Structure formats: structure tokens, C-alpha cells
Amino acid sequence: MAVNFETGMEPNCKITRHITGVCSRIYDPVCGTDAITYSNECTLCASRRKTGNNIRIQWFGKCENEDN
């Protein structure tokens, strides 16, 4: 299945601490356009930076396809 990273909402990575590798441990889940639930917007931004993929926010909350 191909992943469409262009759908969804652009995360606000400019104000997060993902660049220093220090994201908050506050659980405020977001579902990425890669169908992965991130614990918060900062961890999504960190994944974008690490992978180079344009992962966006599909919606706020857990992804539907995940059990945990």
C-alpha cells in the first residue's frame, strides 16, 4: 500500500524541540499520514527529520488501525 504523505495537516515543527531530541513526555497523540500514532506532535516532527519523509498530521488522536 502506497502512503500519501501529502494529505493531512502540516505539523508545527518550528516550535517543537525535536531538533535537539528533547520532546515532551506529555501524551497528546496524533495520527500521522504514515498510519503511525505518535505520542505528540514533537515526536512526529522528530520522525520527519530522521526519515526525511513529509509525514503530516492525519488527525489528532490515535490511528484507527492500532490496538495500543
Side-chain angles (χ1 to χ4, degrees), residues 8-9 28-38 44 55-66:
M9 215 168 55
D28 188 16
V30 293
C31 180
T33 51
D34 57 354
I36 295 174
T37 298
Y38 295 90
L44 182 144
I55 306 165
R56 298 166 60 93
I57 297 171
Q58 190 67 32
W59 60 75
F60 292 92
K62 292 172 64 173
C63 295
E64 293 175 353
N65 62 339
E66 293 185 346

Side-chain angles (χ1 to χ4, degrees), residues 36-50:
I36 295 174
T37 298
Y38 295 90
S39 58
N40 55 44
E41 195 168 352
C42 180
T43 57
L44 182 144
C45 289
S47 185
R48 279 173 60 123
R49 183 171 177 260
K50 182 178 178 181

